[in-house]
């Protein structure tokens, strides 16, 4: 057993876990942050995407101990109080979700995509960048619309800061 200390959604946390514990299980089972989903156990679906030090990572591929000392952000940590993150609002407004199971991972991946591309995105880039996230419901059309919409919203929000 190891004690893992990290910052999750802006709060310092510590948990005693087995050395083989994956980050996704630390988040879900020890910290009760169940917005991060386990969809495949093989690192293919992207339902478990979180940000580690600002970059999207499939949390089923990272041992909890590897995240020690890191700043982890989950879907629960991106809104500001009752105000949705622009990506969450864009998914809602563009009907970018159906069953919602893949949505947290899609949103976390999409935020990283927008940050890495500086908000300058086109449909082909979004589709290519989201290849690591599987949605079994939507056919991706509205997800892509949501990401492009959010890129504009995030650019406006950043300019206002």
């Amino acid at each position: 057993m190891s004690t893992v200390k990290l910052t999750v959604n802006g709060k310092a946390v510590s948990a005693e876990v087995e050395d083989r514990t994956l980050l996704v299980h630390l988040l879900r089972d020890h910290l009760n942050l169940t917005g991060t989903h386990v969809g495949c156990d093989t690192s293919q679906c992207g339902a478990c995407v979180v940000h580690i030090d600002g970059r999207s990572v499939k949390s089923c591929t990272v041992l909890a101990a590897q995240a020690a000392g890191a700043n982890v952000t989950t879907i629960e940590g991106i809104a500001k109080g009752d105000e949705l993150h622009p990506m969450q609002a864009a998914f809602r407004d563009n009907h970018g979700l159906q069953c919602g199971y893949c949505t947290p991972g899609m949103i976390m991946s999409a935020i990283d995509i927008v940050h890495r591309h500086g908000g300058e995105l086109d449909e082909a880039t979004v589709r290519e960048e989201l290849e690591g996230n599987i949605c079994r419901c939507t056919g991706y059309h509205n997800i892509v619309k949501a990401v492009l919409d959010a890129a504009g919203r995030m650019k406006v929000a950043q300019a206002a800061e």
Side-chain angles (χ1 to χ4, degrees):
M1 297 287 273
S2 299
T3 301
V4 177
K5 296 178 181 181
L6 61 157
T7 302
V8 179
N9 298 331
K11 296 178 186 168
V13 298
S14 178
E16 186 82 15
V17 297
E18 290 185 34
D19 294 338
R20 64 184 178 161
T21 302
L22 295 171
L23 179 58
V24 68
H25 295 299
L26 170 70
L27 295 170
R28 291 181 58 80
D29 303 337
H30 296 272
L31 302 178
N32 294 317
L33 295 170
T34 57
T36 302
H37 295 155
V38 178
C40 66
D41 281 333
T42 57
S43 181
Q44 295 179 13
C45 76
C48 67
V49 172
V50 299
H51 292 173
I52 298 178
D53 294 330
R55 298 285 304 205
S56 64
V57 175
K58 292 179 179 178
S59 62
C60 73
T61 65
V62 177
L63 293 170
Q66 290 175 292
N71 185 5
V72 176
T73 306
T74 70
I75 192 71
E76 291 93 345
I78 62 171
K80 291 184 177 143
D82 290 338
E83 183 184 339
L84 295 176
H85 184 281
M87 189 66 70
Q88 291 172 305
F91 265 68
R92 179 198 58 206
D93 296 347
N94 290 279
H95 309 288
L97 58 115
Q98 284 184 3
C99 82
Y101 199 82
C102 71
T103 305
M106 286 282 186
I107 287 173
M108 298 305 287
S109 292
I111 291 168
D112 185 47
I113 291 166
V114 171
H115 286 154
R116 285 187 291 106
H117 288 275
E120 300 300 323
L121 291 169
D122 58 29
E123 181 178 339
T125 301
V126 172
R127 287 184 182 277
E128 181 179 329
E129 292 269 349
L130 285 177
E131 280 185 356
N133 293 75
I134 296 172
C135 177
R136 292 170 175 92
C137 300
T138 68
Y140 298 92
H141 179 72
N142 288 344
I143 291 171
V144 173
K145 279 179 30 181
V147 174
L148 293 171
D149 179 14
R153 294 179 192 208
M154 290 168 68
K155 202 172 187 178
V156 168
Q158 186 177 18
E161 290 178 351

